Each structure stands twice: as C-alpha cells, then as structure tokens.
Amino acid sequence: QVQLVQSGAEVKKPGASVKVSCKASGYTFTVCYMHWVRQAPGQGLEWMGWISPNSGGTDFSQKFQGRVTMTRDTSISTAYMELSRLRSDDTAVYYCARQLVGATAIDYWGQGTLVTVS
Amino acid sequence: SFVLTQPPSVSVAPGQTARITCGGNNIGSKSVHWYQQKPGQAPVLVVYDDTDRPSGIPERFSGSNSGNTATLTISRVEAGDEADYYCQVWDSSSDWMFGGGTKLTVL
C-alpha cells in the first residue's frame, strides 16, 4: 500500500531554515509528482509547490519563490522540502502529498510535520 | 489570479443531504477536486475530476461542476461525515489552489 512517512516535528528560531523529509513506499517513486502543502493552526490548506521525482524539476507558488527548495533522492525514494528565512507565520503543519496519475488531484498524503517557529 | 470561494460552514441533520459549494470564475471549465479533513488528520480525496470517486469512497459522495459553481453533495449524511471540506483546482495562471474550506456540522 502507498505510504508517505514524514520526518518529525521541528522547532526553529526566526531566520533559520527547516528541512522536512518524506519517504515514499508502495509505488514507483519516480512516476508521481510530489507536492508540498501546509496548514497553519486553525487555517486552510496552502499549496507550496511540487517536484518531479523523475527529472528533479520543480514549480513553486509565487508566495514561496526564493525561500523554498524541493529536492529528492531517488535511491531512497525520499523527497525533501527546505524553507529558509523562517518567520513566526511559517508555523504550520507541512504535508507531502502524491499527485494522482493523470489528474491534477492529490491522492495520498503524508501524516504531516509540525514546524514551530518561535 | 483565480480565487475559489467556499461557505465557511454548512449544517445538516443526519440522513439529510449536504451540499457544499465552491465558486470561481468559469470554474466549470476546470477540473475540481474535493478533500475531507477531520481534526488532527491529513486530508482525504473524496471526489476528483468533478465527479469521480477514488476507490473506498462511498457512493454517498458525489460532485458536479458547471458555470461558476462546483458542488460536493453528500447524501444520507452520517455523524462521521462531520469534517472540513476543501475544493481544489489547477489553473494555468494561479497554479494549484485550494478553497478556504467549509466546516460541515452534523446536527
């Protein structure tokens, strides 16, 4: 079965960077784009960007351009999201999420990683 | 940029039908997807490409999309359907977007 397992919670100081990992299993990692979506406490879902595990190509929301980096290591079926110059309003649960093949929807989500900036 | 508008809340009695809307300029020309999120959990895809259901999602969940409004319909609502629901589209100018979310309350 498809699983996306994310790294654990992080606490960071303002101005620091955070790197969250997402290990995929149960499918061929390079077939599906991987997205990152965040959710601030009590707020809605916010799309950050995607990475193609096959090519390494990326696309980011304009809001995060210049602050976010998405990478992958195909040898261990793991995607990474790094957010720099953290601010207090970056406090959120960060999800990795697999794109459904042939559609612009997300069919599997990681369990989420809480990043607290304080 | 493309904006998706959802009502903040919808209330329905058990056994009745809930309809959650997602408004956007000519949204009928786009593929709309719907997610259910319960407290403390990751979202779950319940409808994709306007009307399709992933495997394991009950037939009680259905979708439609026309003009400026997409709708998620939940028939024979159960207590376990109480959750936040989000619509989502991909738009060439705005990329991936989520609506603000609708809290479904089962009375």
Side-chain angles (χ1 to χ4, degrees), chain B:
Chain B
S1 63
F2 196 77
V3 176
L4 296 174
T5 302
Q6 297 184 237
S9 63
V10 167
S11 299
V12 64
Q16 299 304 303
T17 298
R19 294 179 179 84
I20 299 172
T21 59
C22 177
N25 186 30
N26 197 26
I27 196 173
S29 66
K30 304 182 186 301
S31 293
V32 178
H33 319 294
W34 292 92
Y35 303 88
Q36 175 194 70
Q37 186 181 34
K38 297 182 179 179
Q41 298 183 19
V44 172
L45 181 67
V46 293
V47 168
Y48 68 97
D49 287 349
D50 299 339
T51 59
D52 293 341
R53 275 186 314 277
S55 61
I57 300 301
E59 290 184 8
R60 301 185 297 106
F61 289 82
S62 63
S64 63
N65 184 18
S66 178
N68 294 320
T69 305
T71 304
L72 173 69
T73 301
I74 309 172
S75 305
R76 303 180 300 282
V77 166
E78 304 172 355
D81 297 331
E82 189 162 285
D84 294 326
Y85 290 84
Y86 295 90
C87 59
Q88 176 252 311
V89 302
W90 175 82
D91 174 75
S92 60
S93 61
S94 303
D95 237 322
W96 288 60
M97 298 192 61
F98 289 95
T102 298
K103 180 176 180 58
L104 176 67
T105 299
V106 181
L107 300 171

Side-chain angles (χ1 to χ4, degrees), chain A residues 82-96:
Chain A
E82 184 171 19
L83 189 63
S84 63
R85 303 193 299 279
L86 290 169
R87 308 184 290 256
S88 58
D89 61 358
D90 290 318
T91 294
V93 174
Y94 290 76
Y95 293 100
C96 63

